[in-house]
Amino acid sequence: TRRDDEATDPSLLRRIGDWSDHASWLQFTRRYDAEIRASCRSYRFDDDTTEELCQRIWIELAKRIQSYRYDPGKRFRGWLHRFCQSRAVDFLRQRQADRLQGFDAALLS
C-alpha cells in the first residue's frame, strides 16, 4: 500500500508543466528524486557518473513533462522507470561511442 505522499497526484503532474511553478517542482522533486536516483544506481556507475545521469534525466524530464498526459489507467511510476531506463541506455551508448571514437583517433595518430 502506498502512502498518500507516494500516490500519483495528477494535478501535480499538470502544474509542473509550468516551469515557473517552483513550489510544484519542489514537491515533484521531493517525491520522485529518490526513485530516479535508485534507478540510476541500479546501473552500478560510480557516484559522479550516477549524479551526471540523474541530472541528465531531470533535464530531459523537465522538457518532456510539458507534453506528458497522465493516464489514470496506467502507472506514472512505471512510465518514469521506463524513462530512466531509456535515458540510462542512451547514456551507455553514448559512452561506448565516445570510447570507440577515442580509440579510432588513437589508431589514426
PDB file of all heavy atoms in Angstrom, residues 80-108:
ATOM      1  N   LEU A  80       7.877   6.557 -15.477  1.00  0.00           N
ATOM      2  CA  LEU A  80       9.109   7.198 -15.019  1.00  0.00           C
ATOM      3  C   LEU A  80      10.261   6.196 -15.002  1.00  0.00           C
ATOM      4  O   LEU A  80      11.371   6.509 -15.428  1.00  0.00           O
ATOM      5  CB  LEU A  80       8.904   7.810 -13.635  1.00  0.00           C
ATOM      6  CG  LEU A  80      10.076   8.581 -13.050  1.00  0.00           C
ATOM      7  CD1 LEU A  80      10.435   9.766 -13.938  1.00  0.00           C
ATOM      8  CD2 LEU A  80       9.741   9.031 -11.630  1.00  0.00           C
ATOM      9  N   HIS A  81       9.991   4.991 -14.562  1.00  0.00           N
ATOM     10  CA  HIS A  81      11.031   3.953 -14.529  1.00  0.00           C
ATOM     11  C   HIS A  81      11.512   3.635 -15.952  1.00  0.00           C
ATOM     12  O   HIS A  81      12.713   3.556 -16.205  1.00  0.00           O
ATOM     13  CB  HIS A  81      10.505   2.700 -13.843  1.00  0.00           C
ATOM     14  CG  HIS A  81      11.512   1.608 -13.750  1.00  0.00           C
ATOM     15  ND1 HIS A  81      12.608   1.675 -12.924  1.00  0.00           N
ATOM     16  CD2 HIS A  81      11.602   0.434 -14.399  1.00  0.00           C
ATOM     17  CE1 HIS A  81      13.332   0.575 -13.072  1.00  0.00           C
ATOM     18  NE2 HIS A  81      12.729  -0.190 -13.966  1.00  0.00           N
ATOM     19  N   ARG A  82      10.583   3.474 -16.884  1.00  0.00           N
ATOM     20  CA  ARG A  82      10.962   3.220 -18.281  1.00  0.00           C
ATOM     21  C   ARG A  82      11.720   4.407 -18.869  1.00  0.00           C
ATOM     22  O   ARG A  82      12.677   4.219 -19.626  1.00  0.00           O
ATOM     23  CB  ARG A  82       9.720   2.890 -19.119  1.00  0.00           C
ATOM     24  CG  ARG A  82       9.161   1.505 -18.831  1.00  0.00           C
ATOM     25  CD  ARG A  82       8.026   1.143 -19.772  1.00  0.00           C
ATOM     26  NE  ARG A  82       6.945   2.111 -19.798  1.00  0.00           N
ATOM     27  CZ  ARG A  82       5.959   2.186 -18.916  1.00  0.00           C
ATOM     28  NH1 ARG A  82       5.929   1.339 -17.901  1.00  0.00           N
ATOM     29  NH2 ARG A  82       5.006   3.098 -19.022  1.00  0.00           N
ATOM     30  N   PHE A  83      11.319   5.607 -18.509  1.00  0.00           N
ATOM     31  CA  PHE A  83      12.003   6.810 -18.968  1.00  0.00           C
ATOM     32  C   PHE A  83      13.455   6.804 -18.479  1.00  0.00           C
ATOM     33  O   PHE A  83      14.380   7.046 -19.248  1.00  0.00           O
ATOM     34  CB  PHE A  83      11.263   8.051 -18.440  1.00  0.00           C
ATOM     35  CG  PHE A  83      11.851   9.352 -18.886  1.00  0.00           C
ATOM     36  CD1 PHE A  83      11.588   9.859 -20.140  1.00  0.00           C
ATOM     37  CD2 PHE A  83      12.674  10.072 -18.030  1.00  0.00           C
ATOM     38  CE1 PHE A  83      12.127  11.062 -20.552  1.00  0.00           C
ATOM     39  CE2 PHE A  83      13.218  11.280 -18.426  1.00  0.00           C
ATOM     40  CZ  PHE A  83      12.944  11.773 -19.696  1.00  0.00           C
ATOM     41  N   CYS A  84      13.653   6.479 -17.197  1.00  0.00           N
ATOM     42  CA  CYS A  84      15.011   6.415 -16.632  1.00  0.00           C
ATOM     43  C   CYS A  84      15.829   5.329 -17.311  1.00  0.00           C
ATOM     44  O   CYS A  84      17.009   5.538 -17.629  1.00  0.00           O
ATOM     45  CB  CYS A  84      14.957   6.168 -15.122  1.00  0.00           C
ATOM     46  SG  CYS A  84      14.335   7.573 -14.176  1.00  0.00           S
ATOM     47  N   GLN A  85      15.232   4.180 -17.535  1.00  0.00           N
ATOM     48  CA  GLN A  85      15.934   3.092 -18.220  1.00  0.00           C
ATOM     49  C   GLN A  85      16.374   3.531 -19.611  1.00  0.00           C
ATOM     50  O   GLN A  85      17.513   3.283 -20.020  1.00  0.00           O
ATOM     51  CB  GLN A  85      15.022   1.866 -18.358  1.00  0.00           C
ATOM     52  CG  GLN A  85      14.908   1.043 -17.128  1.00  0.00           C
ATOM     53  CD  GLN A  85      13.998  -0.150 -17.388  1.00  0.00           C
ATOM     54  OE1 GLN A  85      12.972  -0.041 -18.070  1.00  0.00           O
ATOM     55  NE2 GLN A  85      14.374  -1.284 -16.838  1.00  0.00           N
ATOM     56  N   SER A  86      15.486   4.167 -20.326  1.00  0.00           N
ATOM     57  CA  SER A  86      15.795   4.610 -21.681  1.00  0.00           C
ATOM     58  C   SER A  86      16.939   5.622 -21.683  1.00  0.00           C
ATOM     59  O   SER A  86      17.851   5.540 -22.513  1.00  0.00           O
ATOM     60  CB  SER A  86      14.537   5.223 -22.304  1.00  0.00           C
ATOM     61  OG  SER A  86      14.795   5.714 -23.578  1.00  0.00           O
ATOM     62  N   ARG A  87      16.905   6.575 -20.756  1.00  0.00           N
ATOM     63  CA  ARG A  87      17.982   7.564 -20.680  1.00  0.00           C
ATOM     64  C   ARG A  87      19.299   6.912 -20.265  1.00  0.00           C
ATOM     65  O   ARG A  87      20.367   7.291 -20.754  1.00  0.00           O
ATOM     66  CB  ARG A  87      17.641   8.680 -19.683  1.00  0.00           C
ATOM     67  CG  ARG A  87      16.400   9.501 -20.013  1.00  0.00           C
ATOM     68  CD  ARG A  87      16.484  10.348 -21.286  1.00  0.00           C
ATOM     69  NE  ARG A  87      16.338   9.666 -22.542  1.00  0.00           N
ATOM     70  CZ  ARG A  87      15.192   9.275 -23.106  1.00  0.00           C
ATOM     71  NH1 ARG A  87      14.046   9.482 -22.498  1.00  0.00           N
ATOM     72  NH2 ARG A  87      15.179   8.683 -24.277  1.00  0.00           N
ATOM     73  N   ALA A  88      19.246   5.907 -19.399  1.00  0.00           N
ATOM     74  CA  ALA A  88      20.469   5.209 -18.983  1.00  0.00           C
ATOM     75  C   ALA A  88      21.068   4.438 -20.158  1.00  0.00           C
ATOM     76  O   ALA A  88      22.286   4.449 -20.361  1.00  0.00           O
ATOM     77  CB  ALA A  88      20.180   4.276 -17.815  1.00  0.00           C
ATOM     78  N   VAL A  89      20.225   3.805 -20.948  1.00  0.00           N
ATOM     79  CA  VAL A  89      20.714   3.075 -22.124  1.00  0.00           C
ATOM     80  C   VAL A  89      21.315   4.058 -23.128  1.00  0.00           C
ATOM     81  O   VAL A  89      22.391   3.811 -23.676  1.00  0.00           O
ATOM     82  CB  VAL A  89      19.581   2.237 -22.758  1.00  0.00           C
ATOM     83  CG1 VAL A  89      19.978   1.710 -24.123  1.00  0.00           C
ATOM     84  CG2 VAL A  89      19.203   1.086 -21.825  1.00  0.00           C
ATOM     85  N   ASP A  90      20.650   5.199 -23.338  1.00  0.00           N
ATOM     86  CA  ASP A  90      21.213   6.228 -24.219  1.00  0.00           C
ATOM     87  C   ASP A  90      22.576   6.686 -23.702  1.00  0.00           C
ATOM     88  O   ASP A  90      23.516   6.873 -24.476  1.00  0.00           O
ATOM     89  CB  ASP A  90      20.285   7.445 -24.302  1.00  0.00           C
ATOM     90  CG  ASP A  90      18.995   7.172 -25.052  1.00  0.00           C
ATOM     91  OD1 ASP A  90      18.906   6.127 -25.734  1.00  0.00           O
ATOM     92  OD2 ASP A  90      18.066   8.001 -24.928  1.00  0.00           O
ATOM     93  N   PHE A  91      22.687   6.880 -22.408  1.00  0.00           N
ATOM     94  CA  PHE A  91      23.926   7.313 -21.779  1.00  0.00           C
ATOM     95  C   PHE A  91      25.030   6.280 -21.994  1.00  0.00           C
ATOM     96  O   PHE A  91      26.158   6.622 -22.362  1.00  0.00           O
ATOM     97  CB  PHE A  91      23.671   7.534 -20.280  1.00  0.00           C
ATOM     98  CG  PHE A  91      24.840   8.072 -19.521  1.00  0.00           C
ATOM     99  CD1 PHE A  91      25.173   9.408 -19.596  1.00  0.00           C
ATOM    100  CD2 PHE A  91      25.593   7.238 -18.706  1.00  0.00           C
ATOM    101  CE1 PHE A  91      26.249   9.916 -18.877  1.00  0.00           C
ATOM    102  CE2 PHE A  91      26.666   7.729 -17.991  1.00  0.00           C
ATOM    103  CZ  PHE A  91      26.995   9.074 -18.078  1.00  0.00           C
ATOM    104  N   LEU A  92      24.694   5.005 -21.793  1.00  0.00           N
ATOM    105  CA  LEU A  92      25.673   3.932 -22.005  1.00  0.00           C
ATOM    106  C   LEU A  92      26.120   3.872 -23.469  1.00  0.00           C
ATOM    107  O   LEU A  92      27.309   3.691 -23.750  1.00  0.00           O
ATOM    108  CB  LEU A  92      25.089   2.587 -21.581  1.00  0.00           C
ATOM    109  CG  LEU A  92      24.956   2.369 -20.082  1.00  0.00           C
ATOM    110  CD1 LEU A  92      24.066   1.168 -19.795  1.00  0.00           C
ATOM    111  CD2 LEU A  92      26.327   2.192 -19.454  1.00  0.00           C
ATOM    112  N   ARG A  93      25.176   4.016 -24.380  1.00  0.00           N
ATOM    113  CA  ARG A  93      25.523   4.003 -25.812  1.00  0.00           C
ATOM    114  C   ARG A  93      26.442   5.165 -26.164  1.00  0.00           C
ATOM    115  O   ARG A  93      27.388   5.002 -26.934  1.00  0.00           O
ATOM    116  CB  ARG A  93      24.261   4.062 -26.659  1.00  0.00           C
ATOM    117  CG  ARG A  93      23.496   2.770 -26.679  1.00  0.00           C
ATOM    118  CD  ARG A  93      22.258   2.883 -27.528  1.00  0.00           C
ATOM    119  NE  ARG A  93      21.548   1.625 -27.537  1.00  0.00           N
ATOM    120  CZ  ARG A  93      20.240   1.514 -27.641  1.00  0.00           C
ATOM    121  NH1 ARG A  93      19.490   2.581 -27.780  1.00  0.00           N
ATOM    122  NH2 ARG A  93      19.670   0.332 -27.623  1.00  0.00           N
ATOM    123  N   GLN A  94      26.158   6.333 -25.602  1.00  0.00           N
ATOM    124  CA  GLN A  94      26.992   7.498 -25.880  1.00  0.00           C
ATOM    125  C   GLN A  94      28.401   7.310 -25.329  1.00  0.00           C
ATOM    126  O   GLN A  94      29.385   7.628 -26.001  1.00  0.00           O
ATOM    127  CB  GLN A  94      26.363   8.769 -25.281  1.00  0.00           C
ATOM    128  CG  GLN A  94      27.149  10.020 -25.593  1.00  0.00           C
ATOM    129  CD  GLN A  94      27.231  10.302 -27.079  1.00  0.00           C
ATOM    130  OE1 GLN A  94      26.212  10.286 -27.761  1.00  0.00           O
ATOM    131  NE2 GLN A  94      28.423  10.538 -27.590  1.00  0.00           N
ATOM    132  N   ARG A  95      28.502   6.758 -24.128  1.00  0.00           N
ATOM    133  CA  ARG A  95      29.829   6.492 -23.552  1.00  0.00           C
ATOM    134  C   ARG A  95      30.608   5.510 -24.420  1.00  0.00           C
ATOM    135  O   ARG A  95      31.800   5.679 -24.648  1.00  0.00           O
ATOM    136  CB  ARG A  95      29.690   5.937 -22.135  1.00  0.00           C
ATOM    137  CG  ARG A  95      29.398   6.991 -21.111  1.00  0.00           C
ATOM    138  CD  ARG A  95      29.263   6.419 -19.742  1.00  0.00           C
ATOM    139  NE  ARG A  95      30.530   5.884 -19.279  1.00  0.00           N
ATOM    140  CZ  ARG A  95      30.725   5.377 -18.082  1.00  0.00           C
ATOM    141  NH1 ARG A  95      29.748   5.347 -17.218  1.00  0.00           N
ATOM    142  NH2 ARG A  95      31.894   4.899 -17.723  1.00  0.00           N
ATOM    143  N   GLN A  96      29.919   4.484 -24.901  1.00  0.00           N
ATOM    144  CA  GLN A  96      30.572   3.491 -25.764  1.00  0.00           C
ATOM    145  C   GLN A  96      31.037   4.130 -27.066  1.00  0.00           C
ATOM    146  O   GLN A  96      32.142   3.883 -27.532  1.00  0.00           O
ATOM    147  CB  GLN A  96      29.636   2.317 -26.038  1.00  0.00           C
ATOM    148  CG  GLN A  96      30.239   1.216 -26.862  1.00  0.00           C
ATOM    149  CD  GLN A  96      31.373   0.487 -26.152  1.00  0.00           C
ATOM    150  OE1 GLN A  96      31.516   0.552 -24.944  1.00  0.00           O
ATOM    151  NE2 GLN A  96      32.194  -0.198 -26.916  1.00  0.00           N
ATOM    152  N   ALA A  97      30.180   4.949 -27.655  1.00  0.00           N
ATOM    153  CA  ALA A  97      30.537   5.632 -28.902  1.00  0.00           C
ATOM    154  C   ALA A  97      31.725   6.566 -28.685  1.00  0.00           C
ATOM    155  O   ALA A  97      32.628   6.627 -29.524  1.00  0.00           O
ATOM    156  CB  ALA A  97      29.335   6.411 -29.434  1.00  0.00           C
ATOM    157  N   ASP A  98      31.727   7.265 -27.554  1.00  0.00           N
ATOM    158  CA  ASP A  98      32.851   8.155 -27.242  1.00  0.00           C
ATOM    159  C   ASP A  98      34.153   7.365 -27.089  1.00  0.00           C
ATOM    160  O   ASP A  98      35.202   7.795 -27.562  1.00  0.00           O
ATOM    161  CB  ASP A  98      32.577   8.955 -25.968  1.00  0.00           C
ATOM    162  CG  ASP A  98      31.471   9.977 -26.144  1.00  0.00           C
ATOM    163  OD1 ASP A  98      31.075  10.261 -27.288  1.00  0.00           O
ATOM    164  OD2 ASP A  98      30.996  10.490 -25.096  1.00  0.00           O
ATOM    165  N   ARG A  99      34.066   6.213 -26.447  1.00  0.00           N
ATOM    166  CA  ARG A  99      35.256   5.368 -26.283  1.00  0.00           C
ATOM    167  C   ARG A  99      35.777   4.882 -27.631  1.00  0.00           C
ATOM    168  O   ARG A  99      36.975   4.881 -27.882  1.00  0.00           O
ATOM    169  CB  ARG A  99      34.949   4.186 -25.377  1.00  0.00           C
ATOM    170  CG  ARG A  99      34.873   4.541 -23.929  1.00  0.00           C
ATOM    171  CD  ARG A  99      34.697   3.293 -23.093  1.00  0.00           C
ATOM    172  NE  ARG A  99      34.473   3.657 -21.712  1.00  0.00           N
ATOM    173  CZ  ARG A  99      33.555   3.132 -20.931  1.00  0.00           C
ATOM    174  NH1 ARG A  99      32.765   2.178 -21.394  1.00  0.00           N
ATOM    175  NH2 ARG A  99      33.420   3.540 -19.689  1.00  0.00           N
ATOM    176  N   LEU A 100      34.859   4.439 -28.467  1.00  0.00           N
ATOM    177  CA  LEU A 100      35.259   3.951 -29.793  1.00  0.00           C
ATOM    178  C   LEU A 100      35.847   5.076 -30.635  1.00  0.00           C
ATOM    179  O   LEU A 100      36.832   4.869 -31.347  1.00  0.00           O
ATOM    180  CB  LEU A 100      34.068   3.315 -30.510  1.00  0.00           C
ATOM    181  CG  LEU A 100      33.587   1.976 -29.929  1.00  0.00           C
ATOM    182  CD1 LEU A 100      32.321   1.529 -30.639  1.00  0.00           C
ATOM    183  CD2 LEU A 100      34.665   0.921 -30.000  1.00  0.00           C
ATOM    184  N   GLN A 101      35.272   6.240 -30.536  1.00  0.00           N
ATOM    185  CA  GLN A 101      35.793   7.381 -31.278  1.00  0.00           C
ATOM    186  C   GLN A 101      37.194   7.730 -30.774  1.00  0.00           C
ATOM    187  O   GLN A 101      38.090   7.997 -31.573  1.00  0.00           O
ATOM    188  CB  GLN A 101      34.869   8.579 -31.131  1.00  0.00           C
ATOM    189  CG  GLN A 101      35.259   9.750 -31.997  1.00  0.00           C
ATOM    190  CD  GLN A 101      34.238  10.873 -31.877  1.00  0.00           C
ATOM    191  OE1 GLN A 101      33.524  10.992 -30.876  1.00  0.00           O
ATOM    192  NE2 GLN A 101      34.166  11.685 -32.908  1.00  0.00           N
ATOM    193  N   GLY A 102      37.403   7.665 -29.468  1.00  0.00           N
ATOM    194  CA  GLY A 102      38.724   7.911 -28.895  1.00  0.00           C
ATOM    195  C   GLY A 102      39.717   6.850 -29.326  1.00  0.00           C
ATOM    196  O   GLY A 102      40.887   7.140 -29.626  1.00  0.00           O
ATOM    197  N   PHE A 103      39.253   5.605 -29.416  1.00  0.00           N
ATOM    198  CA  PHE A 103      40.101   4.505 -29.863  1.00  0.00           C
ATOM    199  C   PHE A 103      40.504   4.699 -31.318  1.00  0.00           C
ATOM    200  O   PHE A 103      41.659   4.551 -31.681  1.00  0.00           O
ATOM    201  CB  PHE A 103      39.364   3.176 -29.662  1.00  0.00           C
ATOM    202  CG  PHE A 103      40.155   1.981 -30.075  1.00  0.00           C
ATOM    203  CD1 PHE A 103      41.242   1.550 -29.309  1.00  0.00           C
ATOM    204  CD2 PHE A 103      39.836   1.273 -31.231  1.00  0.00           C
ATOM    205  CE1 PHE A 103      41.982   0.434 -29.686  1.00  0.00           C
ATOM    206  CE2 PHE A 103      40.557   0.161 -31.613  1.00  0.00           C
ATOM    207  CZ  PHE A 103      41.631  -0.258 -30.838  1.00  0.00           C
ATOM    208  N   ASP A 104      39.509   5.071 -32.150  1.00  0.00           N
ATOM    209  CA  ASP A 104      39.802   5.328 -33.577  1.00  0.00           C
ATOM    210  C   ASP A 104      40.784   6.484 -33.741  1.00  0.00           C
ATOM    211  O   ASP A 104      41.696   6.409 -34.555  1.00  0.00           O
ATOM    212  CB  ASP A 104      38.507   5.660 -34.334  1.00  0.00           C
ATOM    213  CG  ASP A 104      37.626   4.432 -34.548  1.00  0.00           C
ATOM    214  OD1 ASP A 104      38.126   3.304 -34.372  1.00  0.00           O
ATOM    215  OD2 ASP A 104      36.451   4.623 -34.879  1.00  0.00           O
ATOM    216  N   ALA A 105      40.623   7.522 -32.962  1.00  0.00           N
ATOM    217  CA  ALA A 105      41.518   8.670 -33.040  1.00  0.00           C
ATOM    218  C   ALA A 105      42.947   8.263 -32.625  1.00  0.00           C
ATOM    219  O   ALA A 105      43.921   8.715 -33.236  1.00  0.00           O
ATOM    220  CB  ALA A 105      41.025   9.808 -32.160  1.00  0.00           C
ATOM    221  N   ALA A 106      43.046   7.409 -31.626  1.00  0.00           N
ATOM    222  CA  ALA A 106      44.372   6.963 -31.168  1.00  0.00           C
ATOM    223  C   ALA A 106      45.040   6.117 -32.254  1.00  0.00           C
ATOM    224  O   ALA A 106      46.256   6.193 -32.437  1.00  0.00           O
ATOM    225  CB  ALA A 106      44.233   6.171 -29.874  1.00  0.00           C
ATOM    226  N   LEU A 107      44.262   5.325 -32.975  1.00  0.00           N
ATOM    227  CA  LEU A 107      44.828   4.499 -34.049  1.00  0.00           C
ATOM    228  C   LEU A 107      45.331   5.346 -35.212  1.00  0.00           C
ATOM    229  O   LEU A 107      46.307   4.996 -35.869  1.00  0.00           O
ATOM    230  CB  LEU A 107      43.784   3.500 -34.558  1.00  0.00           C
ATOM    231  CG  LEU A 107      43.451   2.344 -33.634  1.00  0.00           C
ATOM    232  CD1 LEU A 107      42.330   1.501 -34.249  1.00  0.00           C
ATOM    233  CD2 LEU A 107      44.673   1.470 -33.377  1.00  0.00           C
ATOM    234  N   LEU A 108      44.637   6.454 -35.468  1.00  0.00           N
ATOM    235  CA  LEU A 108      44.991   7.309 -36.596  1.00  0.00           C
ATOM    236  C   LEU A 108      46.164   8.228 -36.305  1.00  0.00           C
ATOM    237  O   LEU A 108      46.771   8.757 -37.220  1.00  0.00           O
ATOM    238  CB  LEU A 108      43.786   8.141 -37.031  1.00  0.00           C
ATOM    239  CG  LEU A 108      42.607   7.335 -37.600  1.00  0.00           C
ATOM    240  CD1 LEU A 108      41.428   8.267 -37.847  1.00  0.00           C
ATOM    241  CD2 LEU A 108      43.016   6.626 -38.876  1.00  0.00           C
TER     242      LEU A 108
END
